[in-house]
Amino acid sequence: TIDKRAYAAANREFEGNFDRVRIEAALRSFIDRIVVGMEACPYTKSADISATGLEARGVTPGPVGYRFSASTDACHVMSSFWNCICELMAEPETNLSSIMLSLPGIGAGDGPDAHARFAAVVELVGRYLCLFRGDGSFGLVHFHPSYDRSIIHPLDAPSYGHLPPISWLRPILRMGGREAEAEQLSDEELALSNYQRRAPHTAINILRMSQVNAAAGPKSIVNLDLGNGRVEKASGITLYTRNTLRMAQSGRENLQYALDAEIARQYN
């Protein structure tokens, strides 16, 4: 129909706004600032090499591959994602350790509709990977400029590729030995944990599970007491304890200022 053709033409024009070099530079700035600088991932020491410090656990550091799709179409995004999976399967970790897939056309902006689009597309990606049992070989980490775990479903249970539920953060802090902070931090301060996933555009980090398992260690899964008799399996207690505290200590103003600069960098 005329409306569909007009919509497709508008999307193609929108996709033309994204310059791959600028998009990658903005994402690298985020990785340098949050992942490396604030040690959101202790085994990433630069934006170019991942899985550093895991040699004793059988994992060799290797290059991070940066891949890009400007498409606004979920089917095209799925194609780009599976191309990345095939590339990782074909290359040894010494040649390609992990991939950062930039998807600036998915959920562009910071409004609720943009976040909903991001959440829907990455859920589709994750479900299809799990459908083909790829989650046994690869892990996913999702990013978005307005990432908000409190509106990612399920709200109070783990979601593949996402942070733990916000409601789990106080129990995580307690188990991580930070009982005082678990009681003293406000809900707003705990919500700053979202900034570890607030990148300048939608992106998916595709990791090899050999790296994820080595980083977590053999006894990473614990019984997390959520209160009222509810106990759930959880992992990454030390990591999420540290990251939650560091985001809270940085403060919203500093975190948002740096993010805004990275977003602007994509277009200027």
Side-chain angles (χ1 to χ4, degrees), residues 110-219:
D110 57 5
D113 289 344
H115 191 276
R117 175 67 171 167
F118 148 75
V121 172
V122 298
E123 181 177 356
L124 181 67
V125 167
R127 282 179 179 266
Y128 267 87
L129 182 64
C130 293
L131 179 66
F132 290 99
R133 299 183 180 177
D135 55 321
S137 299
F138 301 101
L140 305 180
V141 181
H142 302 310
F143 302 89
H144 185 266
S146 60
Y147 186 95
D148 186 351
R149 183 59 180 87
S150 69
I151 53 175
I152 297 290
H153 291 274
L155 302 181
D156 197 31
S159 183
Y160 185 49
H162 290 286
L163 291 173
I166 294 292
S167 61
W168 288 27
L169 292 183
R170 293 188 195 278
I172 285 174
L173 289 174
R174 294 188 189 101
M175 178 159 277
R178 306 306 291 262
E179 291 86 355
E181 290 88 343
E183 301 302 323
Q184 295 167 3
L185 289 176
S186 67
D187 291 343
E188 291 76 16
E189 288 172 317
L190 288 178
L192 295 178
S193 174
N194 286 311
Y195 275 92
Q196 60 190 292
R197 297 293 184 89
R198 289 188 179 175
H201 54 264
T202 294
I204 303 175
N205 185 200
I206 309 171
L207 302 161
R208 299 176 189 269
M209 281 306 297
S210 58
Q211 301 165 351
V212 175
N213 293 334
K219 299 180 180 180

Side-chain angles (χ1 to χ4, degrees), residues 22 32 44 75 83 100 125 154 181 184 196 202 217 246:
R22 290 177 177 172
D32 283 335
T44 300
C75 293
N83 284 341
M100 288 295 302
V125 167
E181 290 88 343
Q184 295 167 3
Q196 60 190 292
T202 294
R246 287 180 177 171

Side-chain angles (χ1 to χ4, degrees), residues 1-236:
T1 65
I2 294 176
D3 288 344
K4 288 182 178 180
R5 288 197 295 270
Y7 179 76
N11 278 344
R12 286 194 296 271
E13 182 178 358
F14 178 69
E15 292 165 4
N17 293 327
F18 301 117
D19 179 85
R20 179 170 184 167
V21 173
R22 290 177 177 172
I23 292 294
E24 182 178 322
L27 183 59
R28 284 176 172 270
S29 176
F30 165 79
I31 293 171
D32 283 335
R33 177 173 61 89
I34 295 291
V35 182
V36 178
M38 297 185 71
E39 296 185 316
C41 174
Y43 299 105
T44 300
K45 303 302 183 184
S46 80
D48 297 305
I49 303 293
S50 65
T52 302
L54 294 172
E55 293 88 342
R57 302 178 189 180
V59 175
T60 303
V64 178
Y66 287 84
R67 305 296 181 261
F68 169 86
S69 171
S71 181
T72 59
D73 183 82
C75 293
H76 290 166
V77 166
M78 288 295 294
S79 175
S80 297
F81 171 76
W82 282 111
N83 284 341
C84 291
I85 293 294
C86 290
E87 189 177 0
L88 282 166
M89 292 176 67
E91 292 286 347
E93 63 183 14
T94 51
N95 292 346
L96 184 62
S97 179
S98 63
I99 285 179
M100 288 295 302
L101 174 59
S102 289
L103 303 169
I106 298 299
D110 57 5
D113 289 344
H115 191 276
R117 175 67 171 167
F118 148 75
V121 172
V122 298
E123 181 177 356
L124 181 67
V125 167
R127 282 179 179 266
Y128 267 87
L129 182 64
C130 293
L131 179 66
F132 290 99
R133 299 183 180 177
D135 55 321
S137 299
F138 301 101
L140 305 180
V141 181
H142 302 310
F143 302 89
H144 185 266
S146 60
Y147 186 95
D148 186 351
R149 183 59 180 87
S150 69
I151 53 175
I152 297 290
H153 291 274
L155 302 181
D156 197 31
S159 183
Y160 185 49
H162 290 286
L163 291 173
I166 294 292
S167 61
W168 288 27
L169 292 183
R170 293 188 195 278
I172 285 174
L173 289 174
R174 294 188 189 101
M175 178 159 277
R178 306 306 291 262
E179 291 86 355
E181 290 88 343
E183 301 302 323
Q184 295 167 3
L185 289 176
S186 67
D187 291 343
E188 291 76 16
E189 288 172 317
L190 288 178
L192 295 178
S193 174
N194 286 311
Y195 275 92
Q196 60 190 292
R197 297 293 184 89
R198 289 188 179 175
H201 54 264
T202 294
I204 303 175
N205 185 200
I206 309 171
L207 302 161
R208 299 176 189 269
M209 281 306 297
S210 58
Q211 301 165 351
V212 175
N213 293 334
K219 299 180 180 180
S220 63
I221 299 177
V222 299
N223 292 318
L224 182 64
D225 185 354
L226 299 176
N228 297 319
R230 182 184 174 192
V231 176
E232 296 282 355
K233 297 293 184 182
S235 63

